[in-house]
Amino acid sequence: MDPFHKQQTDDDGKTFEVTHHLDCRGMTCPMPALKSLERSTAMTPGEILEVVGDWPGSKFEVPYAVADRKGLEVVRIIESDQPDDETWWIYIRRS
């Protein structure tokens, strides 16, 4: 799986266009969540941020931080299917 994607499919099978990327690989908690919130709240409605990271705890912390913010929603979370690869991708939509 490439680290960045132009198009992705949500859990309902609908295709969406990725408009922003944030590479958090190498960052530990709480930086991926803080950077994700900073970038996603600066987006305009309809834009989607792809966050890629490799810190296992942040795979849970980023969606949790976004869930309480009005106007933001997590539309998909993907984990690497490669053995011993902790990489994850989280897609956040500004509504």
Side-chain angles (χ1 to χ4, degrees):
M1 186 175 283
D2 295 333
F4 302 113
H5 307 94
K6 282 296 202 186
Q7 282 194 337
Q8 197 50 256
T9 306
D10 67 16
D11 293 337
D12 296 327
K14 298 177 183 170
T15 302
F16 59 86
E17 192 78 22
V18 175
T19 53
H20 300 276
H21 302 284
L22 177 61
D23 190 342
C24 293
R25 288 176 289 185
M27 294 182 192
T28 60
C29 290
M31 292 310 295
L34 294 174
K35 296 279 186 190
S36 297
L37 281 173
E38 181 181 301
R39 287 287 298 274
S40 59
T41 55
M43 297 186 313
T44 58
E47 292 184 320
I48 295 182
L49 172 66
E50 175 186 63
V51 183
V52 60
D54 56 7
W55 186 256
S58 291
K59 161 176 62 180
F60 304 103
E61 186 179 88
V62 170
Y64 182 76
V66 170
D68 288 340
R69 302 294 175 157
K70 184 176 173 134
L72 298 178
E73 67 175 314
V74 174
V75 292
R76 183 146 195 220
I77 300 173
I78 301 173
E79 296 180 55
S80 175
D81 57 3
Q82 300 299 310
D84 300 319
D85 182 3
E86 296 288 340
T87 306
W88 45 261
W89 294 262
I90 297 172
Y91 298 88
I92 302 167
R93 177 184 292 131
R94 178 77 188 234
S95 57

